[in-house]
Amino acid sequence: MKLVKAIIRPDRLPEVLRGLYAAEVYGLTVSRVRGHGGEVEKVETYRGTTVKMELHDKIMLDIGVSEPFVDRTVKAICEAAYTGEVGDGKIFVLPVERIVRVRTKEEDRAAVTPVR
Protein backbone atom coordinates (compact mmCIF):
# COMPACT_ATOMS: atom_id res chain seq x y z
CA MET A 1 0.00 0.00 0.00
CA LYS A 2 1.24 3.45 -0.88
CA LEU A 3 0.16 7.05 -0.45
CA VAL A 4 0.69 9.08 -3.61
CA LYS A 5 0.89 12.81 -2.85
CA ALA A 6 0.89 15.04 -5.90
CA ILE A 7 1.23 18.81 -6.00
CA ILE A 8 -0.02 20.26 -9.30
CA ARG A 9 -1.15 23.50 -10.92
CA PRO A 10 -4.80 24.32 -10.12
CA ASP A 11 -5.69 24.71 -13.80
CA ARG A 12 -4.51 21.15 -14.53
CA LEU A 13 -6.86 19.51 -11.99
CA PRO A 14 -9.66 18.63 -14.47
CA GLU A 15 -7.16 16.93 -16.81
CA VAL A 16 -5.52 15.08 -13.93
CA LEU A 17 -8.89 13.84 -12.64
CA ARG A 18 -9.82 12.61 -16.13
CA GLY A 19 -6.46 10.83 -16.39
CA LEU A 20 -6.88 9.18 -12.99
CA TYR A 21 -10.43 8.04 -13.78
CA ALA A 22 -9.21 6.59 -17.10
CA ALA A 23 -6.54 4.70 -15.11
CA GLU A 24 -9.31 3.35 -12.80
CA VAL A 25 -8.08 5.36 -9.82
CA TYR A 26 -11.15 6.84 -8.12
CA GLY A 27 -10.53 7.41 -4.41
CA LEU A 28 -8.66 10.61 -3.66
CA THR A 29 -8.61 13.77 -1.59
CA VAL A 30 -8.07 17.21 -3.12
CA SER A 31 -6.74 20.14 -1.08
CA ARG A 32 -5.91 23.72 -1.98
CA VAL A 33 -2.39 24.54 -0.83
CA ARG A 34 0.17 27.30 -1.30
CA GLY A 35 3.84 26.71 -1.86
CA HIS A 36 7.04 27.77 -3.52
CA GLY A 37 9.28 25.83 -5.83
CA GLY A 38 11.23 27.00 -8.84
CA GLU A 39 8.67 29.48 -10.17
CA VAL A 40 9.57 33.09 -10.82
CA GLU A 41 8.49 35.35 -7.99
CA LYS A 42 5.76 37.87 -8.80
CA VAL A 43 5.74 41.43 -7.53
CA GLU A 44 2.33 43.07 -7.07
CA THR A 45 1.18 46.43 -5.79
CA TYR A 46 -1.48 46.26 -3.10
CA ARG A 47 -2.90 49.53 -1.73
CA GLY A 48 0.18 51.42 -2.82
CA THR A 49 2.61 48.93 -1.30
CA THR A 50 4.82 46.67 -3.38
CA VAL A 51 4.49 43.10 -2.20
CA LYS A 52 6.57 40.15 -3.35
CA MET A 53 4.24 37.18 -3.85
CA GLU A 54 6.40 34.26 -2.78
CA LEU A 55 3.78 31.52 -2.46
CA HIS A 56 1.82 30.12 -5.38
CA ASP A 57 -1.61 28.49 -5.35
CA LYS A 58 -1.38 24.74 -5.93
CA ILE A 59 -3.55 21.66 -5.61
CA MET A 60 -2.47 18.67 -3.53
CA LEU A 61 -3.89 15.24 -4.25
CA ASP A 62 -3.67 12.44 -1.68
CA ILE A 63 -4.34 9.03 -3.20
CA GLY A 64 -4.11 5.73 -1.32
CA VAL A 65 -3.49 2.86 -3.72
CA SER A 66 -2.53 -0.80 -3.66
CA GLU A 67 0.91 -1.68 -5.03
CA PRO A 68 -0.23 -2.59 -8.58
CA PHE A 69 -1.76 0.89 -9.02
CA VAL A 70 1.26 2.98 -8.02
CA ASP A 71 2.91 3.23 -11.45
CA ARG A 72 -0.33 3.84 -13.35
CA THR A 73 -1.32 6.54 -10.84
CA VAL A 74 2.02 8.34 -11.17
CA LYS A 75 1.94 8.02 -14.97
CA ALA A 76 -1.62 9.40 -15.20
CA ILE A 77 -0.71 12.42 -13.06
CA CYS A 78 2.54 13.11 -14.94
CA GLU A 79 0.88 12.99 -18.34
CA ALA A 80 -2.13 15.11 -17.37
CA ALA A 81 -0.30 17.71 -15.25
CA TYR A 82 2.51 18.34 -17.74
CA THR A 83 2.81 21.79 -19.32
CA GLY A 84 6.59 21.83 -19.77
CA GLU A 85 6.94 24.95 -17.62
CA VAL A 86 8.57 25.40 -14.22
CA GLY A 87 5.95 24.77 -11.53
CA ASP A 88 4.26 21.70 -13.04
CA GLY A 89 4.52 20.02 -9.66
CA LYS A 90 5.93 17.06 -7.76
CA ILE A 91 4.75 13.56 -6.89
CA PHE A 92 5.73 11.80 -3.68
CA VAL A 93 5.14 8.07 -3.15
CA LEU A 94 5.14 7.08 0.51
CA PRO A 95 4.74 3.71 2.23
CA VAL A 96 1.59 3.24 4.30
CA GLU A 97 1.66 1.13 7.46
CA ARG A 98 -2.06 0.71 8.03
CA ILE A 99 -5.38 1.73 6.52
CA VAL A 100 -8.81 1.32 8.10
CA ARG A 101 -12.09 1.94 6.27
CA VAL A 102 -14.26 3.61 8.93
CA ARG A 103 -17.63 2.37 7.64
CA THR A 104 -16.79 -1.35 7.37
CA LYS A 105 -13.69 -1.62 9.57
CA GLU A 106 -11.89 -3.30 6.66
CA GLU A 107 -8.15 -2.97 6.98
CA ASP A 108 -5.12 -2.55 4.77
CA ARG A 109 -5.50 -3.99 1.22
CA ALA A 110 -9.24 -4.52 1.64
CA ALA A 111 -9.64 -0.86 2.65
CA VAL A 112 -7.81 0.54 -0.39
CA THR A 113 -9.68 1.31 -3.56
CA PRO A 114 -8.80 0.00 -6.08
CA VAL A 115 -7.36 -3.43 -5.33
CA ARG A 116 -5.96 -5.86 -7.88
Side-chain angles (χ1 to χ4, degrees), residues 3 9 11-12 21 25 27 32 36 40 43 50 53 69 71 74 83 87 103-105 109 116:
L3 177 62
R9 296 172 183 268
D11 60 322
R12 300 305 297 170
Y21 295 155
V25 177
R32 293 175 191 246
H36 187 279
V40 176
V43 177
T50 302
M53 304 300 290
F69 278 82
D71 289 338
V74 170
T83 67
R103 178 177 51 87
T104 62
K105 308 299 185 270
R109 256 183 80 90
R116 283 212 178 130

Side-chain angles (χ1 to χ4, degrees), residues 21-58:
Y21 295 155
E24 300 178 11
V25 177
Y26 307 112
L28 56 92
T29 301
V30 177
S31 305
R32 293 175 191 246
V33 296
R34 292 180 56 85
H36 187 279
E39 300 98 339
V40 176
E41 296 174 345
K42 292 189 271 182
V43 177
E44 294 183 3
T45 302
Y46 179 73
R47 295 188 178 184
T49 303
T50 302
V51 179
K52 188 188 292 186
M53 304 300 290
E54 295 179 0
L55 299 177
H56 301 274
D57 291 330
K58 297 289 182 178

